[in-house]
Amino acid sequence: MISMGGGKPIFITSKRGNQLILLSGYKYFVKASHSVGRMTKRRWNCSTHHAKGCRALLHTANDTILKINDRHNHSPVYRF
């Protein structure tokens, strides 16, 4: 699993019941999902994608992070 800044991904559920990822203070939502055999691949966008135009994203396969573009145009949303 790839992590940035030493952070571990935390899978949470939103108030509306959608799956989210918290990683190094940033929150991501599922933009696209598809299954290939037994594997479920998902593309996650930063939660500020629509409001601030942040283009950071990550890709997962069966909840394992495969690829990250961690170039955010804003400060972390959450501080731990």
Coordinates of all heavy atoms in Angstrom, one line a residue:
M1 N 0.8 -1.2 0.0 CA 0.0 0.0 0.0 C 0.9 1.2 0.0 O 1.9 1.3 0.7 CB -0.9 0.0 1.2 CG -1.8 1.2 1.3 SD -2.9 1.2 2.7 CE -3.5 -0.4 2.8
I2 N 0.5 2.2 -0.8 CA 1.3 3.5 -0.9 C 0.6 4.4 0.1 O -0.6 4.5 0.2 CB 1.2 4.1 -2.3 CG1 1.7 3.1 -3.3 CG2 1.9 5.4 -2.4 CD1 1.4 3.4 -4.7
S3 N 1.4 5.2 0.8 CA 0.9 6.2 1.7 C 1.7 7.5 1.5 O 2.9 7.4 1.1 CB 0.9 5.8 3.1 OG 2.2 5.6 3.6
M4 N 1.1 8.6 1.8 CA 1.9 9.9 1.6 C 2.1 10.5 3.0 O 1.2 10.5 3.8 CB 1.2 10.8 0.6 CG -0.2 11.3 1.1 SD -1.0 12.3 -0.1 CE -1.9 13.4 0.9
G5 N 3.2 11.1 3.2 CA 3.5 11.8 4.4 C 3.3 10.9 5.7 O 3.0 11.4 6.7
G6 N 3.5 9.6 5.5 CA 3.4 8.7 6.6 C 2.0 8.4 7.1 O 1.8 7.7 8.0
G7 N 1.0 8.9 6.4 CA -0.4 8.7 6.8 C -0.9 7.4 6.4 O -0.5 6.9 5.3
K8 N -1.8 6.8 7.2 CA -2.5 5.6 6.8 C -3.9 5.9 6.3 O -4.5 6.7 7.0 CB -2.5 4.6 7.9 CG -1.2 4.0 8.3 CD -1.3 2.9 9.3 CE 0.0 2.3 9.6 NZ -0.2 1.2 10.6
P9 N -4.4 5.3 5.3 CA -5.8 5.6 4.9 C -6.8 5.1 5.9 O -6.6 4.0 6.4 CB -5.9 4.9 3.5 CG -4.9 3.8 3.6 CD -3.7 4.3 4.4
I10 N -7.8 5.8 6.1 CA -8.9 5.5 7.0 C -10.2 5.5 6.2 O -10.5 6.5 5.7 CB -9.0 6.4 8.2 CG1 -7.7 6.4 9.0 CG2 -10.2 6.0 9.1 CD1 -7.6 7.6 10.0
F11 N -10.8 4.4 6.1 CA -12.1 4.3 5.4 C -13.2 4.6 6.4 O -13.3 4.0 7.5 CB -12.3 2.9 4.8 CG -11.4 2.6 3.7 CD1 -10.1 2.1 3.9 CD2 -11.8 2.8 2.4 CE1 -9.2 1.8 2.9 CE2 -10.9 2.5 1.3 CZ -9.7 2.0 1.6
I12 N -14.0 5.6 6.0 CA -15.1 6.0 6.9 C -16.4 6.1 6.0 O -16.4 6.0 4.8 CB -14.9 7.4 7.5 CG1 -14.7 8.5 6.4 CG2 -13.7 7.4 8.4 CD1 -14.7 9.9 7.0
T13 N -17.5 6.3 6.7 CA -18.8 6.4 6.0 C -19.3 7.9 6.2 O -19.3 8.4 7.3 CB -19.8 5.4 6.6 OG1 -19.3 4.1 6.4 CG2 -21.2 5.5 5.8
S14 N -19.8 8.5 5.1 CA -20.3 9.8 5.2 C -21.7 9.8 5.9 O -22.3 8.8 6.1 CB -20.4 10.5 3.8 OG -21.5 9.9 3.1
K15 N -22.2 11.0 6.2 CA -23.5 11.2 6.8 C -24.6 10.6 5.9 O -25.7 10.2 6.3 CB -23.8 12.6 7.0 CG -23.0 13.3 8.1 CD -23.3 14.7 8.3 CE -22.3 15.4 9.2 NZ -22.5 16.8 9.4
R16 N -24.3 10.6 4.6 CA -25.3 10.1 3.6 C -25.1 8.6 3.3 O -25.7 8.0 2.4 CB -25.2 10.9 2.3 CG -25.6 12.3 2.5 CD -25.6 13.0 1.2 NE -26.0 14.4 1.4 CZ -26.0 15.3 0.4 NH1 -25.7 15.0 -0.8 NH2 -26.4 16.5 0.7
G17 N -24.1 8.0 4.0 CA -23.9 6.5 3.8 C -22.9 6.2 2.7 O -22.8 5.0 2.4
N18 N -22.2 7.1 2.2 CA -21.2 6.9 1.1 C -19.8 6.6 1.7 O -19.5 7.2 2.8 CB -21.1 8.0 0.1 CG -22.4 8.3 -0.6 OD1 -23.0 7.3 -1.0 ND2 -22.8 9.5 -0.6
Q19 N -19.0 5.8 1.1 CA -17.7 5.5 1.6 C -16.7 6.6 1.2 O -16.8 7.2 0.1 CB -17.2 4.2 1.0 CG -15.9 3.7 1.6 CD -15.5 2.3 1.1 OE1 -15.8 1.9 0.0 NE2 -14.7 1.6 1.9
L20 N -15.9 7.0 2.2 CA -14.9 8.0 2.0 C -13.6 7.5 2.5 O -13.5 6.5 3.3 CB -15.2 9.3 2.9 CG -16.6 9.9 2.6 CD1 -16.8 11.0 3.6 CD2 -16.6 10.6 1.2
I21 N -12.5 8.2 2.1 CA -11.1 7.8 2.6 C -10.6 9.1 3.2 O -10.6 10.2 2.6 CB -10.2 7.4 1.5 CG1 -10.6 6.0 1.0 CG2 -8.8 7.3 2.0 CD1 -9.7 5.5 -0.1
L22 N -10.0 9.0 4.4 CA -9.2 10.1 5.0 C -7.8 9.7 4.9 O -7.4 8.6 5.3 CB -9.6 10.2 6.5 CG -10.9 10.9 6.8 CD1 -11.1 10.9 8.3 CD2 -11.0 12.3 6.3
L23 N -7.0 10.5 4.3 CA -5.5 10.2 4.2 C -4.7 11.5 4.3 O -4.9 12.5 3.6 CB -5.3 9.6 2.8 CG -3.9 9.3 2.4 CD1 -3.4 8.2 3.4 CD2 -3.8 8.8 1.0
S24 N -3.9 11.5 5.3 CA -3.0 12.7 5.6 C -3.8 14.0 5.7 O -3.3 15.0 5.2 CB -1.9 12.8 4.6 OG -1.1 11.6 4.6
G25 N -4.9 14.0 6.3 CA -5.7 15.2 6.5 C -6.6 15.6 5.4 O -7.4 16.6 5.4
Y26 N -6.6 14.8 4.3 CA -7.5 15.1 3.1 C -8.6 14.0 3.0 O -8.3 12.8 3.3 CB -6.7 15.1 1.8 CG -5.6 16.2 1.8 CD1 -4.3 15.9 2.1 CD2 -6.0 17.5 1.5 CE1 -3.4 16.9 2.1 CE2 -5.1 18.5 1.4 CZ -3.8 18.2 1.7 OH -2.8 19.2 1.7
K27 N -9.7 14.4 2.6 CA -10.9 13.5 2.4 C -11.1 13.2 0.9 O -11.1 14.2 0.1 CB -12.1 14.1 3.1 CG -13.3 13.2 3.2 CD -14.3 13.7 4.1 CE -14.8 15.1 3.9 NZ -15.9 15.5 4.7
Y28 N -11.4 12.0 0.6 CA -11.7 11.6 -0.8 C -13.0 10.9 -0.9 O -13.4 10.1 0.0 CB -10.6 10.6 -1.3 CG -9.2 11.2 -1.4 CD1 -8.4 11.2 -0.2 CD2 -8.7 11.8 -2.5 CE1 -7.1 11.7 -0.2 CE2 -7.4 12.3 -2.5 CZ -6.6 12.3 -1.4 OH -5.4 12.8 -1.4
F29 N -13.7 11.1 -2.0 CA -15.0 10.4 -2.3 C -14.9 9.6 -3.6 O -14.0 9.9 -4.4 CB -16.1 11.4 -2.4 CG -16.1 12.3 -3.7 CD1 -16.8 12.0 -4.8 CD2 -15.3 13.5 -3.7 CE1 -16.7 12.7 -5.9 CE2 -15.3 14.3 -4.8 CZ -16.0 13.9 -5.9
V30 N -15.7 8.6 -3.7 CA -15.7 7.7 -4.9 C -16.3 8.4 -6.1 O -17.4 8.9 -6.0 CB -16.5 6.4 -4.7 CG1 -16.5 5.6 -5.9 CG2 -15.9 5.6 -3.5
K31 N -15.5 8.6 -7.1 CA -15.9 9.2 -8.4 C -16.4 8.2 -9.3 O -17.4 8.4 -10.0 CB -14.8 10.1 -9.0 CG -15.1 10.7 -10.3 CD -16.2 11.7 -10.2 CE -16.4 12.4 -11.5 NZ -17.5 13.4 -11.5
A32 N -15.7 7.1 -9.4 CA -16.1 6.0 -10.4 C -15.7 4.7 -9.8 O -14.7 4.6 -9.0 CB -15.4 6.2 -11.7
S33 N -16.5 3.7 -10.1 CA -16.2 2.3 -9.6 C -16.6 1.3 -10.7 O -17.6 1.5 -11.3 CB -17.0 2.1 -8.3 OG -16.8 0.8 -7.8
H34 N -15.8 0.3 -10.8 CA -16.2 -0.8 -11.7 C -15.5 -2.1 -11.2 O -14.5 -2.1 -10.6 CB -15.9 -0.5 -13.2 CG -14.4 -0.4 -13.5 ND1 -13.6 0.7 -13.2 CD2 -13.5 -1.4 -14.0 CE1 -12.4 0.4 -13.6 NE2 -12.3 -0.8 -14.1
S35 N -16.1 -3.2 -11.6 CA -15.6 -4.5 -11.2 C -14.9 -5.2 -12.4 O -15.5 -5.2 -13.5 CB -16.7 -5.4 -10.6 OG -17.2 -4.9 -9.4
V36 N -13.8 -5.9 -12.1 CA -13.1 -6.7 -13.1 C -12.9 -8.0 -12.5 O -12.0 -8.2 -11.6 CB -11.8 -6.0 -13.5 CG1 -11.0 -6.9 -14.6 CG2 -12.0 -4.6 -14.1
G37 N -13.7 -9.0 -12.8 CA -13.6 -10.3 -12.1 C -13.9 -10.1 -10.6 O -15.0 -9.6 -10.3
R38 N -13.0 -10.5 -9.8 CA -13.2 -10.4 -8.3 C -12.7 -9.1 -7.8 O -12.8 -8.8 -6.6 CB -12.5 -11.5 -7.6 CG -13.2 -12.9 -7.9 CD -12.5 -13.9 -7.1 NE -13.1 -15.2 -7.3 CZ -12.6 -16.3 -6.9 NH1 -11.5 -16.4 -6.1 NH2 -13.2 -17.5 -7.2
M39 N -12.1 -8.3 -8.7 CA -11.5 -7.0 -8.2 C -12.4 -5.8 -8.5 O -13.0 -5.7 -9.5 CB -10.2 -6.8 -9.0 CG -9.4 -5.6 -8.6 SD -7.9 -5.3 -9.5 CE -7.1 -6.9 -9.3
T40 N -12.6 -5.0 -7.5 CA -13.3 -3.8 -7.6 C -12.4 -2.6 -7.6 O -11.6 -2.4 -6.6 CB -14.3 -3.6 -6.4 OG1 -15.2 -4.7 -6.4 CG2 -15.1 -2.3 -6.6
K41 N -12.3 -1.9 -8.7 CA -11.4 -0.7 -8.9 C -12.3 0.5 -8.7 O -13.4 0.6 -9.1 CB -10.8 -0.7 -10.3 CG -9.8 -1.8 -10.5 CD -9.1 -1.7 -11.8 CE -8.0 -2.7 -12.0 NZ -7.3 -2.4 -13.2
R42 N -11.7 1.5 -8.0 CA -12.3 2.8 -7.7 C -11.4 3.9 -7.9 O -10.2 3.8 -7.7 CB -12.8 2.8 -6.3 CG -14.0 1.9 -6.0 CD -14.5 2.1 -4.6 NE -15.7 1.3 -4.4 CZ -15.7 0.2 -3.6 NH1 -14.6 -0.2 -2.9 NH2 -16.8 -0.5 -3.5
R43 N -12.0 5.0 -8.4 CA -11.2 6.3 -8.6 C -11.8 7.2 -7.5 O -13.1 7.4 -7.5 CB -11.4 6.9 -10.0 CG -10.7 8.2 -10.1 CD -10.9 8.8 -11.4 NE -10.6 10.2 -11.4 CZ -10.7 11.0 -12.4 NH1 -11.1 10.5 -13.6 NH2 -10.5 12.3 -12.3
W44 N -11.0 7.8 -6.7 CA -11.4 8.7 -5.6 C -10.9 10.1 -5.9 O -9.7 10.3 -6.2 CB -10.8 8.3 -4.3 CG -11.1 6.8 -3.9 CD1 -10.6 5.7 -4.5 CD2 -12.0 6.4 -3.0 NE1 -11.1 4.6 -3.9 CE2 -12.0 5.0 -2.9 CE3 -12.9 7.0 -2.0 CZ2 -12.7 4.2 -2.0 CZ3 -13.6 6.3 -1.2 CH2 -13.5 4.9 -1.2
N45 N -11.8 11.1 -5.8 CA -11.4 12.5 -6.0 C -11.3 13.2 -4.6 O -12.1 12.8 -3.7 CB -12.4 13.3 -6.8 CG -12.2 13.0 -8.3 OD1 -11.4 12.2 -8.7 ND2 -13.0 13.7 -9.1
C46 N -10.5 14.2 -4.5 CA -10.5 15.0 -3.3 C -11.9 15.6 -3.0 O -12.6 16.0 -4.0 CB -9.5 16.1 -3.4 SG -9.4 17.2 -2.0
S47 N -12.3 15.7 -1.8 CA -13.6 16.2 -1.4 C -13.8 17.6 -1.8 O -15.0 18.1 -1.9 CB -13.9 16.0 0.0 OG -13.0 16.8 0.8
T48 N -12.8 18.4 -2.1 CA -12.9 19.8 -2.5 C -12.9 19.9 -4.0 O -12.7 21.0 -4.5 CB -11.9 20.7 -1.8 OG1 -10.6 20.3 -2.3 CG2 -11.9 20.6 -0.3
H49 N -13.0 18.8 -4.7 CA -12.8 18.9 -6.2 C -13.8 19.8 -6.8 O -13.5 20.6 -7.7 CB -13.1 17.4 -6.8 CG -13.1 17.4 -8.2 ND1 -12.0 17.5 -9.0 CD2 -14.1 17.2 -9.1 CE1 -12.3 17.4 -10.3 NE2 -13.6 17.2 -10.4
H50 N -15.1 19.8 -6.4 CA -16.1 20.7 -7.0 C -16.0 22.1 -6.4 O -16.1 23.1 -7.2 CB -17.5 20.1 -6.8 CG -17.7 18.8 -7.4 ND1 -17.7 18.6 -8.8 CD2 -17.8 17.5 -6.9 CE1 -17.9 17.4 -9.1 NE2 -18.0 16.7 -8.0
A51 N -15.8 22.3 -5.2 CA -15.8 23.6 -4.5 C -14.6 24.4 -4.8 O -14.7 25.6 -5.1 CB -16.0 23.4 -3.0
K52 N -13.4 23.7 -4.8 CA -12.1 24.5 -5.0 C -11.4 24.1 -6.3 O -10.3 24.6 -6.5 CB -11.2 24.3 -3.8 CG -11.8 24.9 -2.5 CD -10.9 24.7 -1.4 CE -11.5 25.2 -0.1 NZ -10.6 25.1 1.1
G53 N -11.9 23.1 -7.0 CA -11.2 22.6 -8.2 C -9.9 21.8 -7.9 O -9.1 21.7 -8.8
C54 N -9.8 21.2 -6.8 CA -8.7 20.4 -6.4 C -8.6 19.2 -7.3 O -9.6 18.5 -7.5 CB -8.7 20.0 -5.0 SG -7.2 19.1 -4.5
R55 N -7.5 18.9 -7.9 CA -7.4 17.8 -8.9 C -6.7 16.6 -8.3 O -6.3 15.6 -9.0 CB -6.6 18.3 -10.1 CG -7.5 19.4 -10.8 CD -7.0 20.0 -12.0 NE -6.7 19.2 -13.1 CZ -7.6 18.7 -14.0 NH1 -8.9 18.9 -13.7 NH2 -7.2 18.0 -15.0
A56 N -6.5 16.6 -7.0 CA -5.8 15.4 -6.3 C -6.8 14.2 -6.4 O -8.0 14.4 -6.3 CB -5.5 15.7 -4.9
L57 N -6.2 13.0 -6.6 CA -7.1 11.8 -6.7 C -6.2 10.6 -6.3 O -5.0 10.7 -6.2 CB -7.7 11.6 -8.1 CG -6.7 11.6 -9.3 CD1 -6.3 10.1 -9.5 CD2 -7.4 12.1 -10.5
L58 N -6.9 9.5 -6.1 CA -6.2 8.2 -5.9 C -7.0 7.1 -6.5 O -8.2 7.2 -6.8 CB -5.9 8.0 -4.4 CG -7.0 8.0 -3.4 CD1 -7.6 6.6 -3.2 CD2 -6.4 8.5 -2.1
H59 N -6.3 6.0 -6.8 CA -7.0 4.8 -7.4 C -6.8 3.6 -6.4 O -5.7 3.5 -5.8 CB -6.3 4.4 -8.7 CG -6.5 5.4 -9.8 ND1 -7.5 5.4 -10.6 CD2 -5.8 6.6 -10.1 CE1 -7.5 6.4 -11.5 NE2 -6.4 7.1 -11.1
T60 N -7.8 2.8 -6.2 CA -7.8 1.7 -5.3 C -8.3 0.4 -6.1 O -9.0 0.5 -7.1 CB -8.6 1.8 -4.1 OG1 -10.0 1.9 -4.4 CG2 -8.2 3.0 -3.2
A61 N -7.8 -0.7 -5.6 CA -8.3 -2.0 -6.1 C -8.5 -2.8 -4.8 O -7.6 -3.1 -4.1 CB -7.3 -2.7 -7.0
N62 N -9.8 -3.2 -4.6 CA -10.1 -4.0 -3.4 C -9.6 -3.3 -2.1 O -9.0 -3.9 -1.2 CB -9.6 -5.4 -3.4 CG -10.3 -6.2 -4.5 OD1 -11.4 -5.8 -5.0 ND2 -9.7 -7.3 -4.9
D63 N -9.8 -2.0 -2.1 CA -9.4 -1.1 -0.9 C -7.9 -1.0 -0.7 O -7.5 -0.6 0.4 CB -10.2 -1.6 0.4 CG -11.7 -1.4 0.2 OD1 -12.1 -0.5 -0.6 OD2 -12.4 -2.1 1.0
T64 N -7.1 -1.4 -1.6 CA -5.7 -1.2 -1.6 C -5.3 0.0 -2.5 O -5.7 -0.1 -3.7 CB -4.9 -2.4 -2.0 OG1 -5.3 -3.5 -1.1 CG2 -3.4 -2.2 -1.9
I65 N -4.6 1.0 -2.0 CA -4.2 2.1 -2.8 C -3.2 1.7 -3.8 O -2.1 1.2 -3.5 CB -3.8 3.3 -2.0 CG1 -4.9 3.8 -1.1 CG2 -3.3 4.4 -2.8 CD1 -4.5 4.8 -0.1
L66 N -3.4 2.0 -5.1 CA -2.5 1.7 -6.2 C -1.7 2.9 -6.7 O -0.6 2.8 -7.0 CB -3.3 1.1 -7.4 CG -4.1 -0.2 -7.1 CD1 -4.9 -0.6 -8.4 CD2 -3.2 -1.3 -6.7
K67 N -2.4 4.0 -6.7 CA -1.8 5.2 -7.3 C -2.4 6.5 -6.7 O -3.6 6.5 -6.3 CB -2.1 5.2 -8.8 CG -1.6 6.4 -9.6 CD -2.0 6.2 -11.1 CE -1.5 7.4 -11.8 NZ -2.0 7.4 -13.2
I68 N -1.5 7.5 -6.4 CA -1.9 8.7 -5.8 C -1.4 9.9 -6.6 O -0.2 9.9 -6.9 CB -1.4 8.8 -4.4 CG1 -2.0 7.7 -3.5 CG2 -1.8 10.2 -3.8 CD1 -1.5 7.7 -2.1
N69 N -2.3 10.9 -6.8 CA -1.8 12.2 -7.3 C -2.2 13.1 -6.1 O -3.3 13.4 -5.9 CB -2.6 12.6 -8.5 CG -2.4 14.1 -8.8 OD1 -1.6 14.8 -8.2 ND2 -3.1 14.6 -9.8
D70 N -1.2 13.4 -5.3 CA -1.4 14.2 -4.1 C -1.1 15.7 -4.2 O -0.8 16.3 -3.2 CB -0.6 13.6 -2.9 CG 0.9 13.6 -3.1 OD1 1.3 14.0 -4.2 OD2 1.6 13.3 -2.2
R71 N -1.3 16.2 -5.3 CA -1.1 17.7 -5.6 C -2.4 18.4 -5.3 O -3.1 18.7 -6.2 CB -0.6 17.9 -7.0 CG 0.8 17.3 -7.2 CD 1.4 17.8 -8.5 NE 2.7 17.1 -8.7 CZ 3.0 16.4 -9.7 NH1 2.2 16.2 -10.7 NH2 4.2 15.9 -9.8
H72 N -2.6 18.8 -4.0 CA -3.7 19.5 -3.6 C -3.5 21.0 -3.8 O -2.4 21.5 -3.7 CB -4.1 19.3 -2.1 CG -4.5 17.8 -1.9 ND1 -5.8 17.4 -1.9 CD2 -3.7 16.8 -1.6 CE1 -5.8 16.1 -1.7 NE2 -4.6 15.7 -1.4
N73 N -4.5 21.8 -4.0 CA -4.4 23.2 -4.2 C -4.9 23.9 -2.9 O -5.3 25.1 -2.9 CB -5.2 23.7 -5.4 CG -6.6 23.5 -5.3 OD1 -7.2 22.9 -4.4 ND2 -7.4 24.0 -6.4
H74 N -4.9 23.2 -1.8 CA -5.4 23.8 -0.5 C -4.8 23.0 0.7 O -4.1 22.0 0.5 CB -7.0 23.6 -0.4 CG -7.4 22.2 -0.6 ND1 -7.6 21.3 0.5 CD2 -7.6 21.4 -1.7 CE1 -7.9 20.1 0.0 NE2 -7.9 20.1 -1.3
S75 N -4.9 23.6 1.8 CA -4.4 22.9 3.0 C -5.2 21.7 3.4 O -6.4 21.6 3.0 CB -4.4 23.9 4.2 OG -3.6 25.0 3.9
P76 N -4.7 20.8 4.3 CA -5.5 19.7 4.7 C -6.8 20.1 5.4 O -6.8 21.1 6.1 CB -4.5 19.0 5.7 CG -3.2 19.4 5.3 CD -3.3 20.8 4.8
V77 N -7.8 19.3 5.2 CA -9.1 19.6 5.8 C -9.1 19.2 7.2 O -9.7 19.9 8.1 CB -10.2 18.8 5.0 CG1 -11.6 19.1 5.6 CG2 -10.2 19.2 3.5
Y78 N -8.5 18.1 7.6 CA -8.4 17.6 9.0 C -7.0 17.6 9.5 O -6.1 17.3 8.7 CB -9.0 16.2 9.0 CG -10.4 16.2 8.6 CD1 -10.8 15.8 7.3 CD2 -11.5 16.5 9.5 CE1 -12.1 15.8 6.9 CE2 -12.8 16.5 9.1 CZ -13.1 16.1 7.8 OH -14.4 16.1 7.4
R79 N -6.8 17.9 10.7 CA -5.5 17.9 11.4 C -5.6 16.9 12.5 O -6.6 16.9 13.3 CB -5.1 19.2 11.9 CG -5.1 20.3 10.9 CD -4.0 21.2 11.0 NE -4.1 22.3 10.1 CZ -3.4 22.4 9.0 NH1 -2.6 21.5 8.7 NH2 -3.6 23.4 8.2
F80 N -4.6 16.0 12.6 CA -4.6 14.9 13.6 C -3.6 15.2 14.6 O -2.6 15.8 14.4 CB -4.4 13.6 13.0 CG -5.4 13.2 12.0 CD1 -5.2 13.3 10.6 CD2 -6.6 12.7 12.4 CE1 -6.2 12.9 9.7 CE2 -7.6 12.3 11.5 CZ -7.4 12.4 10.2

